[in-house]
Amino acid sequence: MLESIREQLNHPSDLYGETLNNDLITMELCYFPSLCDQQLIKDGLLVPFTYRFDPVEFERMINSNPAFSKADQPELWTELLLKGTLLFKIHDQVYRYGVQKKWQDKPDTNQIEASLQGPQSALTEDLDMNISLCRLRYNEPTLCVEQHIIGQASKTRITVLYDKNLVNSNVLRLLYSRLPHVTLKILRAAGQLSQELSERKHRLFPTILQTERPDRIATMIERGKIALLMDGSRFALILPVRLFDFMHAMDDDYDVYWMSKFLILLRYFAMCLSVTLPSLYIAFVSYNPEVLRVQLTLSIAGSRVVVPYPSFIEVFVMMFMIEALYEASLRLPRYIGSTATTVGGLILGQAIQQAGLVSSIMIIVTSAVAISNFVIPNNGFGNSIRFIKYIFVFISIFYGLIGVVICFVALIIYWCNLRSFGQPYLALFIPKNEAAAHHHREER
């Protein structure tokens, strides 16, 4: 067995293979020490084989312990070894022993989707632990857990979770029709899988929600949605989703009713502000100053006296600086990033206004847009909003306020036309028992 495996794996130096003899029987074993739990091997196999060897007890242990099983297919030996399995051979019979090393033994903490009142535990990169976290919060016998393997080289485990009594069967069929067409060689992150499962590659807005929170997964499964967990990624995918799911934060479920409704309304207002404010500034300054009150028009004109460029130039300058600061805060080390962006934002903003390159009103507009963008709870949806506002700015340069209004109407039409696994992206009415209603329609 050892020579055959070494030959198939091209004699790797990190493969451990040895022949052990306890004066009664001989055992060949091989495994990758970097992929296996050494303590499990010692306690579960080496000690019973050497110090406390009893032929009857040893055979009973191999036949009764679910961690042991026969490996009668030589073509699968290398695949088993690469997944962290130990193979051993006794009396011409090869057995497998599942001893895959677990790098994490406790849940992670929230790093992207912060919550003030909700649970602080988050998914980890260990798939088995993530399933355990989801079952802990959605402990129903109707919860279905189905495993798939995706990635020709990585052979990554994907788990599909849904409630069989609540799930929309049309969405489930559509998901299962798309999973076999995912032909990635190496599946590295949940975002890759999200791109492959989406029906349109060049869309402007995400149609699958990524989350790191087990409580959000449980809530979504209760609403009849499907969750995909992936080995090696601390993010899960939720589908199908609507625009309103991206604007929902988990604290909305834990706060008092009217407060949560007020915060949701505030987010929609901030989203509209983030999309339209730079383009409205160009429209009011260059095309339609008569829309504003006279005092405000004079104030804006007074602040732009020293600015030598048209309004859209200062908008592009400030938006570029904000985007650069945002990207720098992500790429720099954590301890330097916050200091660098704070110093850059304060000093650069004041210096650029004193130099006469932008007006003081434009500084206010830029700050309001940046803050409004950060109010959106989902990072992927927030990035789409960041991109959309450039389209509004470009249109407003040529058509002013009329262009902004037409562009906003076009955005709503685009949302109405968008689908997430066949479900409308901008369905205004979302009943809580929507999945039950779907099953009721199917029964009829």
Side-chain angles (χ1 to χ4, degrees):
M1 178 189 76
L2 280 175
E3 287 307 315
S4 169
I5 289 174
R6 285 196 177 109
E7 191 68 31
Q8 291 180 43
L9 293 171
N10 299 318
H11 300 276
S13 59
D14 59 337
L15 176 68
Y16 178 81
E18 193 58 75
T19 301
L20 305 179
N21 191 323
N22 60 5
D23 294 336
L24 292 175
I25 62 172
T26 301
M27 177 175 72
E28 287 184 7
L29 81 162
C30 65
Y31 61 94
F32 283 98
S34 58
L35 300 176
C36 299
D37 191 326
Q38 301 282 351
Q39 193 63 41
L40 275 178
I41 296 173
K42 178 186 173 186
D43 297 339
L45 185 63
L46 297 183
V47 170
F49 181 77
T50 54
Y51 308 117
R52 301 172 187 170
F53 184 73
D54 182 323
V56 177
E57 290 291 331
F58 190 77
E59 186 176 354
R60 184 182 300 161
M61 179 191 77
I62 293 177
N63 293 326
S64 60
N65 191 336
F68 296 94
S69 61
K70 292 181 179 179
D72 295 328
Q73 297 176 286
E75 65 273 14
L76 297 180
W77 287 350
T78 55
E79 186 177 334
L80 291 171
L81 286 171
L82 292 170
K83 287 295 183 185
T85 303
L86 180 147
L87 296 178
F88 62 97
K89 180 181 178 183
I90 297 175
H91 300 313
D92 296 329
Q93 176 62 53
V94 178
Y95 296 91
R96 53 181 289 185
Y97 180 27
V99 286
Q100 187 179 26
K101 183 183 287 186
K102 300 293 183 184
W103 294 100
Q104 291 175 310
D105 56 0
K106 60 181 181 181
D108 210 338
T109 55
N110 296 319
Q111 297 180 17
I112 307 296
E113 299 173 84
S115 172
L116 295 178
Q117 304 180 44
Q120 300 300 315
S121 59
L123 300 179
T124 68
E125 295 187 0
D126 181 22
L127 178 61
D128 298 324
M129 177 171 287
N130 292 342
I131 294 173
S132 170
L133 288 170
C134 294
R135 277 201 180 276
L136 183 69
R137 286 169 175 78
Y138 196 82
N139 199 0
E140 286 284 339
T142 52
L143 179 65
C144 293
V145 180
E146 298 174 0
Q147 195 169 100
H148 301 264
I149 302 295
I150 290 180
Q152 298 167 3
S154 60
K155 295 183 176 56
T156 308
R157 290 188 299 156
I158 302 292
T159 299
V160 181
L161 283 82
Y162 61 90
D163 190 314
K164 67 177 182 182
N165 288 344
L166 300 176
V167 70
N168 187 325
S169 54
N170 296 331
V171 175
L172 194 62
R173 277 196 293 270
L174 197 55
L175 172 65
Y176 284 152
S177 69
R178 289 179 187 175
L179 276 177
H181 294 95
V182 178
T183 54
L184 291 171
K185 193 168 184 181
I186 299 176
L187 183 57
R188 299 182 295 271
Q192 272 185 299
L193 186 60
S194 171
Q195 294 286 337
E196 292 293 320
L197 292 177
S198 299
E199 55 268 53
R200 292 165 63 179
K201 304 291 182 189
H202 303 290
R203 53 187 165 48
L204 294 175
F205 288 87
T207 53
I208 298 176
L209 188 145
Q210 290 192 47
T211 181
E212 62 171 353
R213 299 184 62 96
D215 54 339
R216 184 186 287 268
I217 295 172
T219 303
M220 291 297 182
I221 290 175
E222 187 193 10
R223 293 176 183 173
K225 299 183 189 297
I226 303 170
L228 272 75
L229 302 177
M230 174 183 154
D231 204 6
S233 173
R234 66 191 308 274
F235 289 94
L237 302 180
I238 304 291
L239 59 97
V241 288
R242 296 183 169 93
L243 182 145
F244 309 103
D245 294 321
F246 293 101
M247 301 298 288
H248 176 266
M250 286 312 296
D251 273 337
D252 298 339
D253 292 346
Y254 308 135
D255 215 331
V256 293
Y257 180 80
W258 287 112
M259 180 55 69
S260 64
K261 297 302 176 191
F262 170 73
L263 292 176
I264 291 172
L265 189 65
L266 181 71
R267 284 189 212 113
Y268 284 106
F269 180 71
M271 180 184 70
C272 294
L273 210 60
S274 178
V275 169
T276 58
L277 198 54
S279 54
L280 286 177
Y281 176 79
I282 295 174
F284 290 147
V285 168
S286 303
Y287 288 92
N288 310 99
E290 70 279 2
V291 176
L292 302 175
R293 292 176 67 88
V294 176
Q295 294 87 340
L296 185 55
T297 304
L298 292 176
S299 176
I300 294 174
S303 69
R304 294 198 73 255
V305 168
V306 295
V307 180
Y309 305 111
S311 57
F312 69 90
I313 295 290
E314 56 177 337
V315 167
F316 278 123
V317 168
M318 286 310 297
M319 287 171 64
F320 170 77
M321 298 308 300
I322 287 293
E323 297 293 343
L325 281 171
Y326 182 72
E327 285 297 314
S329 66
L330 292 177
R331 311 299 166 210
L332 284 171
R334 183 177 302 175
Y335 300 106
I336 306 173
S338 57
T339 307
T341 50
T342 304
V343 171
L346 291 176
I347 296 178
L348 189 65
Q350 186 177 5
I352 202 169
Q353 192 264 332
Q354 289 180 347
L357 293 177
V358 300
S359 64
S360 55
I361 300 292
M362 187 61 224
I363 298 288
I364 298 172
V365 168
T366 307
S367 305
V369 169
I371 294 170
S372 301
N373 213 130
F374 292 135
V375 172
I376 298 171
N378 183 271
N379 192 47
F381 192 80
N383 288 339
S384 298
I385 294 297
R386 282 170 61 194
F387 174 74
I388 285 294
K389 68 172 177 274
Y390 286 96
I391 299 177
F392 277 73
V393 167
F394 188 76
I395 296 294
S396 68
I397 292 173
F398 298 100
Y399 302 104
L401 188 58
I402 296 297
V404 175
V405 173
I406 292 175
C407 212
F408 197 79
V409 173
L411 177 62
I412 294 175
I413 294 173
Y414 176 78
W415 280 337
C416 293
N417 190 44
L418 202 57
R419 293 288 183 274
S420 172
F421 281 79
Q423 303 301 304
Y425 197 70
L426 195 68
L428 294 177
F429 177 62
I430 309 174
K432 289 185 178 179
N433 56 348
E434 113 187 84
H438 165 77
H439 282 268
H440 182 64
R441 285 196 299 270
E442 277 203 334
E443 287 172 2
R444 282 192 300 174

